[in-house]
Amino acid sequence: MQEAFDLLHSPYHWVLYFFCAMLIGMSKTGVQNIGTLAVPLFAFLFGARYSTGIVLILLCMADLIAVIYYRKQFRWSEIKGMLPAAFVGLLGGLFLANNMDDQLFRVLMGICILSGVGIMIWMEKSKSVSTVAEKSWYAPLFGFIAGFSTMIGNAAGPALSVYLLSRKLPKYAFVATGAWFIMILNYTKIPLQLFVWHNLSWAGIILNVFAIPFILLGGYLGIRIIKVIPEKQFRILAMALVAVSALLLIIL
């Protein structure tokens, strides 16, 4: 128990940690990509590599809330083409980052998020996205990017958002489908990070338990927000949050 408390060194760090847990809850039930803001903040609190283990357990807890609440809006047809390539991306990220030091790992996290920003900008400017999205390579490409990004820094949100936005999904189907896809990847990552990266610990899990009320609070806020935000503003917010999180990762 004491080891869990030793992971955070000041009241300020505890407040920041619980705030990040709330962001993760919000991202799973309504405000897609707001959870990406927690990536640089967790890297600041725990270090880049170890933070991915802390965040992973929080994400798995929040995933359950989202998939239960949105179980009727999930569209399997939109992600089945992404999953095989996503698993390849997971393994690629696992072995590429296995021998990196923390600083280089942090840079790679930033690159993954910035790449997502670039793809989102391209999607907004391109007039042929709807045509490209029907190509046979489109879903596997974004599956690989999402798998690689989530392995490196729990940062699959940008690539997944680009794919789902390009599929013109309404906001509830967008959130539900994204939640199920990420849940599948996150639970796949648990044995990989436990036995290869060794960055899952009982201290981290105990710390996560204290954050459950804040995940639930964030989940409730996300549900309330998505009910009132219009479709157009929802898309703009999803893109803006990715850009902000990338800048934070660079600055912090």
Side-chain angles (χ1 to χ4, degrees):
M1 180 71 74
Q2 185 59 44
E3 291 181 0
F5 286 105
D6 290 341
L7 291 174
L8 296 169
H9 308 296
S10 72
Y12 162 73
H13 286 173
W14 279 97
V15 171
L16 188 59
Y17 172 70
F18 289 140
F19 174 70
C20 289
M22 186 180 70
L23 292 180
I24 288 174
M26 291 176 66
S27 72
K28 294 299 180 179
T29 59
V31 191
Q32 191 80 7
N33 286 325
I34 199 170
T36 312
L37 292 174
V39 173
L41 298 178
F42 274 119
F44 168 74
L45 287 175
F46 304 108
R49 185 186 298 273
Y50 190 73
S51 72
T52 62
I54 297 289
V55 178
L56 178 59
I57 301 303
L58 286 177
L59 289 172
C60 288
M61 293 176 178
D63 286 332
L64 292 176
I65 300 171
V67 298
I68 291 172
Y69 187 82
Y70 290 116
R71 60 190 180 278
K72 294 182 180 179
Q73 286 86 9
F74 168 61
R75 296 190 184 180
W76 171 252
S77 61
E78 295 294 345
I79 66 168
K80 63 181 180 180
M82 299 177 69
L83 276 176
F87 291 136
V88 174
L90 283 179
L91 294 176
L94 177 74
F95 292 110
L96 178 64
N98 195 37
N99 297 313
M100 289 183 178
D101 60 33
D102 201 64
Q103 181 58 37
L104 186 56
F105 191 89
R106 181 189 180 93
V107 171
L108 193 56
M109 289 169 68
I111 291 173
C112 287
I113 295 178
L114 286 173
S115 298
V117 175
I119 294 171
M120 295 182 89
I121 293 174
W122 165 79
M123 188 195 75
E124 286 299 303
K125 290 182 177 293
S126 176
K127 297 180 180 179
S128 59
V129 170
S130 58
T131 302
V132 173
E134 299 300 327
K135 301 293 185 181
S136 59
W137 50 264
Y138 189 78
L141 172 63
F142 278 92
F144 179 85
I145 295 172
F148 183 86
S149 299
T150 196
M151 193 72 236
I152 294 299
N154 296 305
L160 181 60
S161 292
V162 170
Y163 177 78
L164 295 179
L165 287 171
S166 68
R167 303 295 295 175
K168 309 295 185 183
L169 295 183
K171 59 184 180 182
Y172 287 110
F174 178 100
V175 173
T177 304
W180 276 89
F181 179 75
I182 292 298
M183 185 189 73
I184 293 169
L185 296 187
N186 283 339
Y187 279 85
T188 302
K189 285 158 55 181
I190 291 177
L192 299 179
Q193 293 195 212
L194 178 62
F195 296 112
V196 180
W197 283 359
H198 308 289
N199 66 343
L200 296 179
S201 67
W202 283 114
I205 293 173
I206 293 171
L207 186 66
N208 292 156
V209 171
F210 289 107
I212 291 176
F214 296 90
I215 295 175
L216 295 173
L217 174 61
Y220 172 77
L221 293 175
I223 291 169
R224 300 296 298 175
I225 290 172
I226 197 173
K227 286 182 177 179
V228 299
I229 188 170
E231 291 280 354
K232 182 177 180 180
Q233 281 70 28
F234 177 80
R235 294 171 66 89
I236 294 173
L237 181 62
M239 289 185 288
L241 289 172
V242 175
V244 171
S245 63
L247 292 174
L248 284 176
L249 193 61
I250 295 171
I251 294 171
L252 291 179

